[in-house]
Amino acid sequence: MPISTAAQPHPPGQLPPPGHPQGDSRGKSGLRGVVGLAGEAMRTVLRSWTTTPGRLALIATGLVLLTLITGLTAAVMTQQKTDAVSELTDRREPLAAAAQQVYRALSDADATASSSFLSTGEEPPALRARFENDIAQAGVFLARAASDPDAGPEVSRQIDIIGKYVPVYAELVGTARANNRQGFPAGAAYLREASELMQSTILPAAEALYEADTKALAERQAEARSVPWLTAVLVIGLLAALIATQLYLKRRTNRVFNIGLVVATGAIVVGLLWSSAALITQSVLIGSSESQGSEQVDRLVRARIAGLKARVDETLLLVSRGEGEQYAKEFAKEAQEMAGKDGNGGLLAEARAAADEQDELAETLDKAQASATAWLKAHDKVRKLDGEGEYLEAASVAIDDTREDSSARAFNQLDVDLRTAILHGRQSFFDNASDAGAALTLLPWGWVALGLIAAGGVAVGMYERLREYR
Amino acid sequence: MRKLTAAKVAALLVASAVLTGCAAGEPRDLSPMVTAEPPMPANATINPKIEAPGGGEDDCGDPTVSLKPQGTAIPPGSTMDKIRKRKKLVVGVDQNTFLFGFRNPTTGQLEGFDIDIAKAIAVKLLGHPSAAQFRAITSQQRIDALKNGKVDIVVRTMTINCERRKDIEFSSVYYVAGQRVLVKKTSDYDSLKDLGGKRVCATSGSTSLRNIAQSPAKPIPVAVDNWSDCLVMMQQGQVEAISTDDTILAGMAQQDPTLKVVGERFTEEPYGIGIPKENKDMVRYVNAVLDEIRGGEWQKSYNKWLKPVLGSDSPPKPKYR
């Protein structure tokens, strides 16, 4: 093996003394001083490279630094992943769930207020209680949905709109109630105004809020399962550097193994395998938290929102008494989005198709589809009776949930089914996301330990070689 | 000593720099200017475009002259025969105007003076008041509903005039109202003349809205779908007054004791039943029914709904050609 002259060991004393910064760098501006120092350091490094022990010392320093940086980066990255997963379950998903509850509560309040209007005589206590619960829930869930420190200006704007107008809405309904009690038609006018406020101002804000929170959740999920490229490059680069150093040492010294460096390489390989296994598991589980959890929940929530809109249209159709063609059209549109033409299509069918492997959810969704079919049937009956001039009978079929054939009963059952299904989807999300977090357990500390072991290995291994030049 | 002072000065300078640095920031903006604009009824429009009356007003002579009744017999093939066969008389009415056509929240049924007139026609034609199938329509929808055949007749505080006669037929006059003004009891307004530059409410497509817009005092017209929407805007302080037929205003004053009807009647609004233009036989039939009820049922319904607020009155005399 030819040995180049440049690689001849020199006694350390003969190393050219590092150049002292001369007076020229003194008295100059700080920036120039820094540039001068950097140049000086560069020259020193280049000079060291020309001798073997100098080169070994440089390699040793570089490797130790790279190992420490890699270990630290990997530890920070995996900690960030762990945090990202717990943010999903602790914050993003509850926010999205709160936002959908705000929408549901407000929309249900509006449908309930219209139903109370259709009822005759004294307002049914159950409807009144339901309305008041809805308003209370809207307030509580709005406060939860608003507790997002990362909320952007758009989200804040929607929350402001809802917060501002829900009390106004409730007051209008109260005024409507007071007028209704005295038999004054002004009550109906207040109710119409309230409903207009809800439909044109409050609910669009609630829908936008839900959409923003759902989008944020999806973005964080994508972030949580993204490939950590920087860390990957560092780890692979470190491994390559370790192997190259060992090859170089083998060539220089004819010794096959350097225990320190082998230990370091082993530690990094362990880290790489552990991280790969953990991150792939985590990514798959986050994927499941999407496909079986949040995406399914979103589908069901959208079905529920479409159902609530259709229910409001159904009651307003009767409130408008004869001139409600626009409500009939909107009902058809929303109902079709929710459940297709006959109750077996639309979002419910999509959700059902995605739930094939989850028996419990599939069962609930079968029930929901049956309820939707029953509702559409009851709605046809309402329309038929109304068309025949049997207005009071039509109103009774629409709002009296004690009747077997009423659309109120079918709608309520559908809402219960959807609530159960949504809870189920949320549970799937939570389970998968929690498992994803568990897959990363100890990994950050593992990287701290492995990084230190590897750095120690490099230092010891290189020190042994360097010592031979003393 | 000098040195110490210099150090003190330096320290002070640094401290003041730090302090001013802090003071340059602001507390987080909590949007102190939160205001909730009061909501308005659906489709409320301030200062809407109002179509000018097409052509001359007087080109039909006296618009209240209707077709002469020819008894209540129903020849086969007539409009009445068709209605009888389907067993429903579809009537366009109001469900938001107190005393004339409104929904009674206790029963869910429509009630009022107009509703009684419609029911009387249904009783004569089909034998039962419940044979009248009511469709609630807005002022704006009245003529289209008749033209499209959605309703057989419209009984909805509808003023007979030449412009409307171009599109539809009217029965003989069954009531004569006149436009007045509804204001707050505490206000000093006496008529539309005092309301220049103020917002005054009426329904879209009503003669009242046009009269407000054409008033020389130049009030700002506000158009809504239903009369009770005007009352809501009045109670919310969004309009200064409501101006329409005294009958409708009386119904609103009944619902809110803080309001009063002021001024003289400055228009005459003869109410007629609207009927599609091609159904002349129906016009004659309805006129025959009106002739029959002018004696008894008209008075009974008037006394029930309107006498307490408008005083005694008797049915107007019909004019025929």
Side-chain angles (χ1 to χ4, degrees):
Chain A
M1 194 192 241
I3 294 166
S4 78
T5 47
Q8 285 296 328
H10 290 279
Q14 285 189 11
L15 270 174
H20 281 291
Q22 296 303 308
D24 59 358
S25 70
R26 243 181 247 163
K28 292 189 178 167
S29 77
L31 183 66
R32 271 214 206 157
V34 169
V35 170
L37 274 175
E40 210 62 54
M42 202 65 204
R43 276 192 287 281
T44 316
V45 167
L46 284 176
R47 254 197 307 279
S48 305
W49 193 249
T50 54
T51 68
T52 301
R55 195 180 287 186
L56 282 179
L58 280 176
I59 290 173
T61 317
L63 267 184
V64 169
L65 280 177
L66 183 61
T67 312
L68 287 176
I69 288 169
T70 306
L72 193 66
T73 311
V76 168
M77 178 275 293
T78 45
Q79 186 57 50
Q80 277 174 347
K81 290 261 176 200
T82 313
D83 292 348
V85 174
S86 41
E87 202 203 326
L88 286 179
T89 51
D90 295 351
R91 194 192 292 163
R92 303 267 42 120
E93 196 274 342
L95 280 172
Q100 76 103 348
Q101 289 287 7
V102 171
Y103 189 100
R104 189 212 65 83
L106 290 173
S107 199
D108 196 68
D110 203 35
T112 308
S114 308
S115 296
S116 310
F117 173 82
L118 283 179
S119 63
T120 50
E122 198 199 344
E123 184 182 12
L127 283 183
R128 179 157 183 159
R130 181 168 174 168
F131 177 84
E132 261 143 35
N133 279 340
D134 281 336
I135 294 295
Q137 282 184 16
V140 168
F141 285 115
L142 182 67
R144 303 233 170 112
S147 66
D148 180 9
D150 301 334
E154 189 51 29
V155 166
S156 303
R157 208 173 64 83
Q158 311 301 356
I159 288 172
D160 288 355
I161 292 175
I162 304 170
K164 236 160 66 169
Y165 284 113
V166 167
V168 179
Y169 170 81
E171 191 212 325
L172 287 175
V173 172
T175 312
R177 198 177 273 142
N179 275 289
N180 244 11
R181 263 182 190 259
Q182 297 176 77
F184 294 156
Y190 273 103
L191 191 76
R192 276 198 307 274
E193 188 180 73
S195 195
E196 167 77 7
L197 176 68
M198 181 59 84
Q199 300 293 330
S200 68
T201 308
I202 305 178
L203 285 181
E207 201 168 356
L209 175 66
Y210 168 71
E211 271 162 17
D213 278 334
T214 305
K215 198 167 143 240
L217 171 64
E219 279 169 8
R220 293 302 166 88
Q221 280 171 319
E223 240 171 76
R225 65 194 180 96
S226 63
V227 179
W229 289 112
L230 174 67
T231 317
V233 166
L234 276 174
V235 170
I236 306 272
L238 174 61
L239 269 183
L242 283 170
I243 290 164
T245 309
Q246 283 170 84
L247 289 177
Y248 171 75
L249 286 180
K250 186 186 158 207
R251 228 169 28 194
R252 278 282 137 261
T253 63
N254 283 326
R255 263 173 250 186
V256 180
F257 290 116
N258 175 315
I259 300 298
L261 288 177
V262 168
V263 166
T265 313
I268 299 301
V269 168
V270 166
L272 179 65
L273 293 178
W274 181 4
S275 302
S276 304
L279 286 174
I280 287 169
T281 312
Q282 181 248 18
S283 164
V284 167
L285 285 168
I286 295 283
S288 307
S289 84
E290 283 173 22
S291 60
Q292 295 173 14
S294 53
E295 282 172 9
Q296 191 70 300
V297 168
D298 181 46
R299 223 172 267 134
L300 293 167
V301 166
R302 280 188 290 132
R304 200 179 194 190
I305 287 177
L308 285 161
K309 281 183 180 167
R311 178 65 183 157
V312 172
D313 288 330
E314 183 173 49
T315 42
L316 289 181
L317 176 77
L318 289 167
V319 169
S320 66
R321 198 163 193 151
E323 276 302 313
E325 269 136 63
Q326 99 222 41
Y327 299 120
K329 268 188 215 141
E330 278 164 30
F331 178 92
K333 192 183 128 236
E334 300 298 344
Q336 183 154 359
E337 187 187 335
M338 174 188 72
K341 282 212 158 63
D342 53 357
N344 294 318
L347 287 161
L348 284 181
E350 277 177 41
R352 176 64 185 82
D356 265 342
E357 287 160 26
Q358 297 156 278
D359 292 341
E360 216 177 306
L361 180 61
E363 203 180 302
T364 310
L365 286 175
D366 284 339
K367 269 202 254 167
Q369 282 184 305
S371 305
T373 311
W375 181 18
L376 292 181
K377 217 174 118 204
H379 178 74
D380 285 343
K381 187 168 181 187
V382 170
R383 296 274 295 157
K384 190 164 164 278
L385 286 168
D386 188 32
E388 286 166 357
E390 301 292 337
Y391 178 78
L392 289 180
E393 179 69 4
S396 160
V397 173
I399 65 161
D400 185 359
D401 71 348
T402 55
R403 286 176 66 143
E404 243 353 291
D405 62 344
S406 69
S407 53
R409 174 174 273 214
F411 167 76
N412 288 343
Q413 186 54 48
L414 173 65
D415 205 54
V416 168
D417 295 339
L418 283 176
R419 190 175 64 208
T420 313
I422 288 169
L423 270 180
H424 197 282
R426 289 191 62 198
Q427 189 66 51
S428 284
F429 168 87
F430 187 84
D431 292 346
N432 280 303
S434 304
D435 288 352
L440 302 180
T441 312
L442 287 181
L443 191 53
W445 291 111
W447 266 113
V448 168
L450 290 168
L452 288 175
I453 290 170
V458 170
V460 170
M462 294 307 283
Y463 178 71
E464 276 176 7
R465 287 292 86 82
L466 270 170
R467 212 173 45 177
E468 288 164 4
Y469 291 95
R470 291 259 157 92
Chain B
M1 198 59 201
R2 271 184 84 96
K3 220 178 177 181
L4 200 68
T5 323
K8 268 186 181 168
V9 169
L12 269 173
L13 278 173
V14 170
S16 66
V18 168
L19 279 174
T20 46
C22 286
E26 274 176 23
R28 197 163 159 189
D29 183 17
L30 291 174
S31 310
M33 294 301 291
V34 172
T35 49
E37 304 81 30
M40 294 213 284
N43 305 325
T45 334
I46 291 151
N47 213 352
K49 261 200 181 145
I50 297 160
E51 288 167 40
E57 280 274 337
D58 302 317
D59 55 359
C60 69
D62 183 354
T64 61
V65 177
S66 186
L67 296 167
K68 198 173 223 130
Q70 292 169 340
T72 51
I74 295 172
S78 63
T79 312
M80 294 76 77
D81 192 37
K82 278 181 224 157
I83 293 169
R84 189 170 267 185
K85 275 183 183 138
R86 84 165 106 91
K87 297 193 181 99
K88 292 282 173 197
L89 173 70
V90 187
V91 191
V93 295
D94 195 346
Q95 64 168 343
N96 294 296
T97 302
F98 203 38
L99 308 180
F100 271 82
F102 68 100
R103 181 184 182 276
N104 181 337
T106 324
T107 60
Q109 303 278 12
L110 295 183
E111 294 177 2
F113 185 68
D114 276 344
I115 304 294
D116 284 348
I117 300 279
K119 279 183 179 166
I121 296 166
V123 168
K124 196 78 210 164
L125 188 54
L126 297 157
H128 201 271
S130 65
Q133 182 184 337
F134 295 119
R135 292 181 74 107
I137 56 176
T138 63
S139 305
Q140 187 92 61
Q141 292 165 334
R142 289 180 294 201
I143 288 176
D144 282 343
L146 286 168
K147 275 163 94 181
N148 302 338
K150 277 189 187 167
V151 294
D152 296 318
I153 55 174
V154 165
V155 192
R156 196 191 180 287
T157 57
M158 193 170 190
T159 302
I160 304 171
N161 62 28
C162 281
E163 195 196 342
R164 287 175 180 164
R165 278 207 96 112
K166 284 181 202 153
D167 296 311
I168 57 165
E169 272 294 345
F170 280 103
S171 71
S172 59
V173 180
Y174 69 90
Y175 188 80
V176 181
Q179 190 165 348
R180 293 179 72 192
V181 183
L182 182 77
V183 295
K184 285 201 183 100
K185 270 188 182 158
T186 50
S187 77
D188 299 329
Y189 305 119
D190 281 328
S191 73
L192 215 48
K193 286 188 199 99
D194 304 328
L195 285 154
K198 306 284 184 204
R199 289 182 182 177
V200 180
C201 184
T203 59
S204 313
S206 65
T207 45
S208 312
L209 186 68
R210 189 173 292 163
N211 293 337
I212 295 167
Q214 286 170 352
S215 163
K218 295 209 180 308
I220 302 167
V222 175
V224 292
D225 279 347
N226 293 294
W227 287 114
S228 36
D229 294 336
C230 275
L231 180 58
V232 167
M233 290 189 86
M234 185 89 180
Q235 291 182 343
Q236 288 177 342
Q238 291 161 325
V239 295
E240 207 70 17
I242 305 170
S243 180
T244 182
D245 308 345
D246 49 358
T247 47
I248 299 172
L249 295 182
M252 292 194 216
Q254 281 262 295
Q255 296 178 65
D256 186 340
T258 68
L259 304 176
K260 62 177 178 187
V261 181
V262 295
E264 292 299 306
R265 280 185 172 192
F266 58 92
T267 63
E268 196 166 88
E269 310 286 345
Y271 289 169
I273 296 168
I275 298 164
K277 208 172 172 84
E278 59 276 15
N279 298 345
K280 309 277 188 216
D281 52 351
M282 188 70 181
V283 180
R284 292 181 197 278
Y285 183 86
V286 167
N287 282 345
V289 177
L290 285 178
D291 271 358
E292 271 184 31
I293 63 169
R294 270 195 181 88
E297 280 150 87
W298 189 100
Q299 201 65 54
K300 221 173 100 198
S301 180
Y302 182 88
N303 291 351
K304 179 178 176 192
W305 298 111
L306 303 173
K307 197 180 163 192
V309 285
L310 294 169
S312 295
D313 206 346
S314 54
K317 282 224 160 15
K319 295 182 212 165
Y320 300 119
R321 59 174 184 260

